[in-house]
């Protein structure tokens, strides 16, 4: 039977615009806003015109007083322009967690409750107490123009107890989080009936890319609000005085590499370092110190005819410091210093580039000899080895994003499933992970939430149900999850599952209007409510299971020892 | 990572040394008591009962996953080394002789069954995971029957297609007469325990010989069949090795449960006769 090709139209970026109902006159009005009126349309390329960006990457959203626009600690995916009305920033200490739709961190349960839970288990999977009562448990949750949002109940009284900073028409809000995909630093609540233009991050980045004035404005805001405090928090920079840090911040360049919408490489079997966006190339002149702002990066060296992964960097790590310090310590050195290795973005990375001469004059000259020696040690590159397989494996599948990755030593695991059983006992009779996944030698990375450094699952949650706790655990508040699957679809590792919920009698909970099952997002929560920590690790009889931070050198060394012992 | 995980040989040395010291103390005490003409059977008997109760605790701990009562791995270490001490006490209690009477013999047999199945379990739980890992692909045990059925269907369809497209029945005859037995329900193959790949080698040899009599286009189908046989062999290996890991535990648990009523009966009988 002869096979013929089927011709289909290639999917394009704007096939699915952010809003479907843009009118021409509405677009013209938006273009008259001062922020866009100042933009020169001819600076935009033909394939990404300003009008196209506004039509496809923005939407007009109407808010009522008390509506929450952005929540503190949510991961930003949009910036907003206030077209009319007023939005107020809730200044510290901010609003309590339960008002933001989050589970309040109450700490682990007590001994008595834990003991009773041994005997008091439901006969069914995924049962919820609240299904018996009222499904409309999310106070203030409502959907308008297809956008789910939370409104503060009795907002006038709640906000009267808070310190507010009002922001008026024409102002841009939420831009830093949208630019760097970092947590929102404050909650913003609508205090007067408002109309906001929401710009999703794809469009926002393009506006910044093609309009110089807009970029300068955004970078200035970012520099003023974040860069100084960010640099001050870094090791070695913390000892510098305020004016010096400000000078460094002023000259630091913000650069982005890769695609924010990256997905982990699903193709198994590739044994070469993939072609990733190059941040700096090996043997390039060291024109600056690079500091990873967010995302992760790979240090790569030429090895025979290929490339070898030497190490991984993530937020807060330096690159190029080793070379700069070496030159600083050797005044006789006349030739231009060059990078010993290349640096590439794994998926996506934002970096700050501080000019080399400034690093030498403002940072290194202010450090003592002992500090410089320590800096040299801290920033030394790991040596290339003949056994880099494990590193390549972690890099290839983006596992370096994991802060608490579940790894099983299959040479010790007796496949007894005690870990799965323990997890199910602690989570509504349904395990929150699958004891299966990719493996390298005797190490298997299971299908379990890794509590990522860059938790892409948190971007876009309409109710803020998925959030990160102070210790870094990414958790879902079951009661405020509306089952939209945004987080499950965003997770590049497929570690979030949507489940249908039941009441204690085992009856499926269904929507009152559509009669469709109510679903909730579930994932590993590291047993944050348990007294003893993750039940899976505690339940493993043969010490085969570990939760590890894959960028931690000591953990990696232990893993390498395990593979070496197995191979030998 | 837990520090305890870093050095398994170190932990083994420490626990063995501790067990040897405790064993020596127990043996010395019992021998000393024996020399001084005291009855040691009662002492060793009660110590044995207490030891057994602690051994049973391991099974209960596994159900307490919500409570912070230590890692199961630590409990298993305690269970293993305590078993060694219990064996020593058992031998002292028997006075290093074979037991007599139906109850004594039954109890000794069941007790020995528990200990032997436990020791075999330790050995297999150290050896079999390595064998499983060396197989390459991982398979979840519960999914094996379903995958086997799927492979069977794929093999049937492949042979039908081969006959239709090549107009030759060489491969179909081989499948019907020989290769069909490679498929079907997963099989327990004891030779997997010695890491043998004989089954795979045999099918490779058969297909290689057969390829001399095939049409060139039929060889492509033979290659696909070879791959399906390889997958089924892998499945059989997982079925055997994972089945062994699950079934030894079942045997061990059955023996250990059988010990309990016999132990109680033994105590009742001993004290009943003592009263007489």
């Amino acid at each position: 039977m002869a096979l013929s090709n089927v011709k289909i139209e290639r999917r394009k970026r704007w096939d699915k615009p952010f809003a479907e109902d843009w009118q021409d006159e509405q677009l013209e009005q938006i273009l008259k806003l001062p922020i866009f009126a100042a933009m020169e349309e001819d600076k935009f390329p033909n394939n990404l015109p300003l009008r196209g960006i506004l039509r496809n990457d923005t939407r007009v959203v109407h808010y009522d007083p008390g509506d929450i626009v952005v929540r503190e600690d949510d991961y930003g995916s949009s910036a907003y322009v206030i077209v009319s009305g007023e939005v107020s920033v809730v200044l510290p200490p901010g609003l309590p967690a339960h008002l933001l739709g989050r589970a309040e961190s109450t700490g682990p349960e007590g001994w008595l409750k834990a003991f009773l839970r041994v005997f008091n288990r439901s006969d069914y999977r995924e049962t919820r107490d609240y299904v018996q009562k009222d499904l409309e448990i999310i106070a203030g949750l409502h959907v308008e123009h297809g956008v789910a949002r939370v409104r503060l109940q009795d907002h006038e009284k709640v906000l009267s107890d808070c310190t507010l900073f009002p922001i008026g028409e024409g102002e841009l809000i939420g831009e830093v989080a949208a630019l760097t995909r970092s947590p929102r630093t404050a909650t913003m609540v609508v205090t007067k009936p408002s109309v906001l233009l929401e710009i999703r991050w794809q469009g926002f980045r393009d506006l910044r890319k093609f309009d110089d004035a807009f970029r300068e404005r955004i970078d200035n805001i970012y520099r003023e609000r974040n860069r100084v405090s960010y640099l001050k928090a870094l090791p070695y920079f913390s000892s510098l005085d305020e004016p010096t840090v400000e000078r460094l911040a002023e000259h630091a360049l913000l650069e982005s590499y890769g695609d924010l919408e990256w997905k982990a490489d699903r193709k198994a079997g590739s044994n070469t370092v993939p072609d990733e966006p190059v941040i700096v190339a090996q043997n390039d002149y060291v024109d600056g110190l690079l500091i990873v702002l967010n995302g992760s990066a790979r240090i790569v060296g030429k090895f025979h005819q290929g490339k070898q992964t030497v190490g991984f960097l993530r937020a807060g790590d330096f690159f190029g410091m080793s070379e700069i310090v070496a030159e600083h310590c050797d005044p006789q050195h006349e030739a231009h210093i060059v990078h010993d290795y290349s640096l590439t973005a794994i998926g996506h990375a934002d970096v700050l580039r501080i000019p080399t001469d400034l690093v030498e004059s403002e940072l290194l000259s202010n450090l003592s000899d002992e500090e410089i020696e320590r800096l040299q040690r801290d920033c030394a590159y790991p040596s290339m080895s003949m056994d880099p397989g494990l590193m390549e494996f972690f890099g290839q599948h983006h596992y370096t994003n994991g802060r608490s990755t579940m790894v099983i030593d299959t040479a010790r695991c007796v496949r007894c499933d005690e870990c799965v059983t323990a997890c199910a006992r602690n989570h509504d009779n349904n395990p929150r992970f699958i004891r299966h996944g990719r493996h390298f030698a005797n190490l298997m990375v299971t299908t379990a939430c890794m509590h990522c450094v860059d938790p892409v699952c948190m971007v876009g949650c309409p109710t803020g149900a998925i959030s990160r706790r102070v210790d870094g655990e990414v958790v879902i508040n079951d009661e405020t999850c509306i089952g939209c699957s945004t987080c499950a679809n965003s997770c590049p590792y497929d570690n979030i599952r949507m489940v249908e919920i039941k009441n204690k009698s085992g009856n499926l909970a269904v929507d009152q209007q559509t009669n469709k099952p109510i679903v909730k997002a579930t994932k590993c929560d590291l047993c944050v409510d348990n007294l003893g920590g993750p039940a899976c690790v505690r339940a493993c009889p043969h010490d085969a299971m570990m939760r590890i931070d894959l960028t931690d050198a000591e953990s990696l060394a232990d893993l390498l020892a395990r593979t070496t012992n197995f191979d030998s | 990572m837990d520090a305890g995980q870093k050095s398994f040989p170190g932990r083994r040395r420490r626990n063995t040394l501790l067990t040897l010291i405790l064993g020596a103390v127990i043996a010395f005490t019992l021998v000393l008591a024996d020399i001084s003409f005291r009855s040691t059977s009662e002492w060793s008997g009660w110590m044995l009962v207490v030891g057994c109760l602690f051994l049973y605790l391991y099974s209960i701990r596994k159900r307490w996953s919500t409570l912070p009562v230590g890692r199961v791995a630590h409990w298993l270490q305690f269970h293993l080394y305590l078993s060694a001490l219990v064996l020593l006490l058992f031998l002292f209690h028997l006075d290093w002789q074979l037991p007599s009477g139906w109850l004594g013999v039954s109890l000794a047999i069941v007790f020995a069954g528990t200990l032997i199945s436990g020791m075999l379990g330790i050995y297999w739980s150290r050896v079999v995971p390595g064998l499983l890992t060396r197989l390459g692909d991982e398979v979840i045990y519960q999914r094996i029957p379903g995958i086997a059925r799927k492979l069977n269907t794929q093999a049937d369809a492949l042979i039908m297609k081969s006959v239709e497209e090549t107009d030759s029945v060489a491969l179909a005859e081989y499948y019907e007469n020989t290769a069909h037995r490679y498929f079907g329900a997963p099989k327990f193959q004891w030779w997997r325990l010695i890491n043998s790949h004989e089954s795979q080698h045999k099918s490779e040899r058969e297909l290689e010989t057969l390829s001399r009599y095939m049409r060139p286009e039929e060889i492509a189908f033979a290659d696909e069949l070879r791959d399906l046989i390889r997958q089924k062999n892998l499945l059989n290996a997982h079925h055997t090795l994972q089945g062994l890991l699950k079934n030894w535990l079942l045997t061990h648990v059955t023996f250990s449960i059988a010990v309990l009523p016999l132990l109680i009966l033994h105590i009742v009988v001993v004290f009943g006769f003592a009263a007489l």
Side-chain angles (χ1 to χ4, degrees):
Chain A
M1 190 174 65
L3 292 174
S4 59
N5 296 335
V6 179
K7 289 178 182 170
I8 60 165
E9 198 180 350
R10 191 188 290 276
R11 303 291 293 171
K12 291 189 284 292
R13 171 174 160 179
W14 285 339
D15 280 349
K16 197 169 185 294
F18 202 27
E20 303 281 354
D21 51 354
W22 268 106
Q23 307 292 326
D24 285 342
E25 56 271 29
Q26 204 180 9
L27 185 65
E28 293 304 325
Q29 278 184 333
I30 292 297
L31 275 166
K32 284 178 189 158
L33 288 171
I35 194 168
F36 300 118
M39 288 184 183
E40 294 170 52
E41 289 194 48
D42 54 350
K43 291 257 179 89
F44 288 79
N46 290 336
N47 60 334
L48 283 172
L50 173 61
R51 284 165 189 269
I53 293 171
L54 292 177
R55 191 181 279 278
N56 292 283
D57 287 327
T58 70
R59 64 182 173 192
V60 175
V61 192
H62 297 258
Y63 287 92
D64 291 322
D67 281 346
I68 296 175
V69 182
V70 297
R71 275 172 297 264
E72 188 178 348
D73 292 333
D74 262 10
Y75 268 58
S77 57
S78 292
Y80 301 81
V81 178
I82 304 172
V83 180
S84 66
E86 183 187 86
V87 175
S88 291
V89 182
V90 183
L91 297 175
L95 292 165
H98 72 274
L99 287 177
L100 297 176
R102 300 222 165 86
E104 280 188 285
S105 183
T106 51
E109 63 192 354
W111 264 88
L112 181 65
K113 199 175 168 192
F115 184 72
L116 289 175
R117 217 147 50 84
V118 176
F119 306 101
N120 185 23
R121 286 175 59 209
S122 171
D123 295 332
Y124 305 98
R125 284 181 172 194
E126 301 295 352
T127 58
R128 305 288 194 273
D129 286 330
Y130 59 76
V131 175
Q132 296 285 54
K133 303 174 229 158
D134 185 3
L135 285 175
E136 289 294 322
I137 43 105
I138 310 166
L141 175 75
H142 60 123
V143 179
E144 274 176 39
H145 307 284
V147 185
R149 70 180 74 124
V150 177
R151 182 175 298 159
L152 286 175
Q153 297 296 291
D154 200 6
H155 63 272
E156 284 175 3
K157 185 178 180 305
V158 170
L159 295 179
S160 66
D161 296 334
C162 302
T163 316
L164 302 175
F165 179 80
I167 301 175
E169 287 174 16
E171 291 294 325
L172 185 66
I173 56 173
E175 67 289 327
V176 172
L179 183 67
T180 59
R181 203 163 67 186
S182 52
R184 306 275 189 196
T185 49
T187 299
M188 295 188 199
V189 184
V190 172
T191 36
K192 285 180 188 167
S194 303
V195 177
L196 270 60
L197 181 78
E198 182 179 358
I199 313 169
R200 62 179 173 187
W201 60 262
Q202 293 93 336
F204 186 76
R205 284 186 168 231
D206 284 334
L207 291 175
R208 178 184 170 272
K209 190 171 172 184
F210 299 118
D211 189 85
D212 295 340
F214 188 69
R215 181 170 55 249
E216 202 171 319
R217 177 181 168 169
I218 298 299
D219 286 4
N220 279 339
I221 293 170
Y222 177 63
R223 199 173 288 134
E224 281 167 24
R225 294 188 194 164
N226 291 59
R227 221 172 278 185
V228 173
S229 56
Y230 183 81
L231 287 179
K232 278 292 279 179
L234 290 173
Y236 303 102
F237 285 80
S238 54
S239 58
L240 302 178
D241 56 37
E242 196 81 16
T244 309
V245 177
E246 276 170 14
R247 260 198 309 281
L248 287 167
E250 194 184 337
H251 291 92
L253 296 171
L254 171 67
E255 298 168 12
S256 292
Y257 296 88
D259 185 0
L260 266 172
E261 280 187 298
W262 62 270
K263 284 269 180 181
D265 183 6
R266 297 268 146 219
K267 289 177 197 163
S270 169
N271 57 0
T272 55
V273 174
D275 287 328
E276 292 167 335
V278 177
I279 300 171
V280 289
Q282 193 169 1
N283 295 326
D284 269 5
Y285 167 61
V286 182
D287 62 351
L289 168 70
L290 296 168
I291 303 168
V292 180
L293 266 183
N294 51 51
S296 55
R298 184 200 304 261
I299 306 171
V300 182
K302 282 179 189 152
F303 191 67
H304 297 302
Q305 307 308 313
K307 293 178 281 183
Q308 189 181 111
T309 303
V310 177
F312 302 104
L313 300 182
R314 62 188 195 194
D317 288 339
F318 301 141
F319 184 78
M321 184 68 100
S322 175
E323 292 89 338
I324 297 172
V325 173
E327 194 210 35
H328 180 77
C329 297
D330 179 15
Q332 306 301 319
H333 198 277
E334 285 178 7
H336 283 314
I337 48 167
V338 293
H339 281 290
D340 296 340
Y341 295 105
S342 300
L343 187 70
T344 60
I346 304 178
H348 167 263
D350 285 330
V351 294
L352 271 184
R353 194 186 291 261
I354 304 176
T356 305
D357 54 335
L358 266 180
V359 175
E360 287 200 65
S361 61
E362 305 290 345
L363 177 70
L364 298 182
S365 57
N366 283 314
L367 297 180
S368 65
D369 289 347
E370 291 80 37
E371 280 178 313
I372 291 208
E373 214 170 289
R374 191 152 48 88
L375 182 62
Q376 211 162 9
R377 261 199 319 274
D378 289 351
C379 296
Y381 298 112
S383 58
M384 287 208 283
S385 71
M386 289 300 288
D387 184 24
L390 192 62
M391 299 281 270
E392 304 290 10
F393 170 73
F394 288 145
Q396 181 189 351
H397 299 297
H398 294 217
Y399 289 140
T400 48
N401 202 8
R403 282 183 56 260
S404 193
T405 308
M406 184 191 281
V407 179
I408 294 179
D409 181 348
T410 55
R412 287 191 74 85
C413 171
V414 296
R415 281 76 170 169
C416 61
D417 280 328
E418 288 292 342
C419 49
V420 180
T421 311
C423 183
R425 281 190 179 130
N426 282 273
H427 296 98
D428 301 302
N429 295 332
N430 200 11
R432 296 291 187 246
F433 73 99
I434 302 172
R435 187 184 56 76
H436 205 67
R438 293 193 187 90
H439 55 97
F440 176 83
N442 55 322
L443 299 177
M444 179 201 278
V445 178
T446 62
T447 310
C449 176
M450 308 194 298
H451 301 268
C452 295
V453 179
D454 182 18
V456 286
C457 57
M458 283 172 58
V459 178
C461 174
T463 63
I466 188 162
S467 60
R468 185 141 71 174
R469 292 165 66 121
V470 180
D471 293 333
E473 302 99 347
V474 178
V475 293
I476 297 172
N477 182 2
D478 193 75
E479 299 202 4
T480 49
C481 170
I482 56 169
C484 65
S485 307
T486 305
C487 54
N489 294 335
S490 302
C491 174
Y493 310 97
D494 292 334
N495 288 341
I496 300 180
R497 297 267 173 283
M498 303 307 295
V499 298
E500 293 173 353
I501 59 167
K502 303 182 182 81
N503 68 6
K504 292 288 175 189
S505 310
N507 299 318
L508 201 65
V510 293
D511 188 288
Q512 287 167 340
Q513 289 167 347
T514 62
N515 225 25
K516 285 182 180 169
I518 302 275
V519 291
K520 298 279 177 181
T522 60
K523 60 179 247 339
C524 162
D525 60 359
L526 281 180
C527 295
V528 284
D529 296 328
N530 270 21
L531 281 166
C536 51
V537 177
R538 286 186 297 128
C540 179
H542 297 279
D543 280 322
M545 181 176 276
M546 300 151 273
R547 302 298 303 231
I548 62 161
D549 182 343
L550 285 175
T551 56
D552 179 57
E554 203 182 334
S555 300
L556 273 177
D558 287 334
L559 284 183
L560 276 169
R562 282 203 181 210
T563 55
T564 311
N565 289 340
F566 174 69
D567 289 338
S568 62
Chain B
M1 201 184 297
D2 189 276
Q5 289 178 33
K6 287 178 186 167
S7 172
F8 295 121
R11 183 176 72 181
R12 198 176 304 130
R13 274 196 298 274
R14 185 195 65 205
N15 291 350
T16 306
L17 185 69
L18 209 66
T19 310
L20 284 174
I21 293 169
L22 270 172
V25 170
I26 291 169
F28 182 72
T29 313
L30 291 173
V31 168
L32 209 65
D34 198 39
I35 291 169
S36 57
F37 301 108
R38 288 168 198 268
S39 167
T40 56
S41 61
E42 196 176 322
W43 289 16
S44 58
W46 280 120
M47 282 160 80
L48 207 49
V49 170
V50 173
C52 285
L53 290 178
F54 273 102
L55 290 177
Y56 282 119
L57 270 183
Y58 171 65
S59 167
I60 297 167
R61 159 63 187 96
K62 289 211 272 186
R63 284 161 183 77
W64 287 350
S65 56
T66 57
L67 291 170
V69 283
R71 294 166 64 127
V72 173
H74 297 158
W75 280 72
L76 179 62
Q77 290 295 307
F78 178 68
H79 183 82
L80 297 182
Y81 289 96
L82 181 63
S83 306
L85 293 176
V86 165
L87 173 63
L88 182 75
L89 284 166
F90 178 62
L91 294 172
F92 267 103
H93 190 63
L94 287 179
D95 208 12
W96 302 85
Q97 288 169 0
L98 288 172
S100 57
W102 70 266
L103 182 60
V105 171
S106 307
L107 184 55
I109 288 172
V110 175
F111 202 85
T114 313
L115 285 169
I116 291 166
S117 61
M119 283 191 276
L120 275 174
I122 298 165
Y123 174 72
W124 282 327
S125 63
R126 290 289 172 265
V127 173
V128 174
L131 293 176
L132 280 167
T133 303
R134 284 187 174 85
L135 289 175
D137 296 328
E138 277 290 325
V139 183
I140 291 178
Y141 186 69
Q142 289 77 3
R143 291 183 188 168
I144 290 175
I147 301 171
R149 273 195 300 276
K150 196 174 151 197
L151 287 176
N152 202 355
T153 312
Q154 281 179 330
D156 286 347
L158 181 76
I159 297 302
M160 294 296 286
K161 198 175 165 196
S162 157
V163 173
E164 277 171 24
E165 290 188 12
T166 65
D167 204 20
S168 166
V169 291
L171 193 64
E173 275 183 12
Y174 166 69
Y175 181 68
E176 195 182 347
N177 299 330
T178 314
H180 193 264
R181 65 185 153 84
Y182 293 129
F183 294 94
K187 299 177 182 73
F188 185 88
Q189 298 168 329
W190 64 268
W191 62 84
R192 296 289 179 189
L193 292 171
I194 52 168
N195 203 17
S196 165
H197 298 285
E198 179 50 31
S199 180
Q200 182 65 33
H201 295 155
K202 191 161 177 271
S203 63
E204 297 273 347
R205 278 198 305 273
E206 288 165 355
L207 277 168
E208 195 183 324
T209 308
L210 192 68
S211 65
R212 298 161 198 264
Y213 320 118
M214 286 182 189
R215 288 183 171 177
E217 58 268 32
E218 212 176 2
I219 290 175
F221 285 99
D223 287 340
E224 280 189 56
L225 184 66
R226 182 184 287 122
D227 188 50
L228 289 175
I229 295 173
R230 189 195 64 77
Q231 288 182 48
K232 181 63 193 345
N233 268 315
L234 183 77
L235 216 56
N236 284 340
H238 272 281
H239 175 73
T240 305
L241 297 172
Q242 292 196 45
L244 181 76
L245 286 171
K246 290 190 191 300
N247 289 326
W248 86 260
L249 188 63
L250 200 68
T251 314
H252 182 64
V253 169
T254 309
F255 270 120
S256 60
I257 288 172
V259 165
L260 201 59
L262 290 172
L263 188 68
I264 294 167
L265 194 62
H266 175 72
I267 296 168
V268 170
V269 168
V270 166
F271 282 91
F273 279 103
L276 291 174

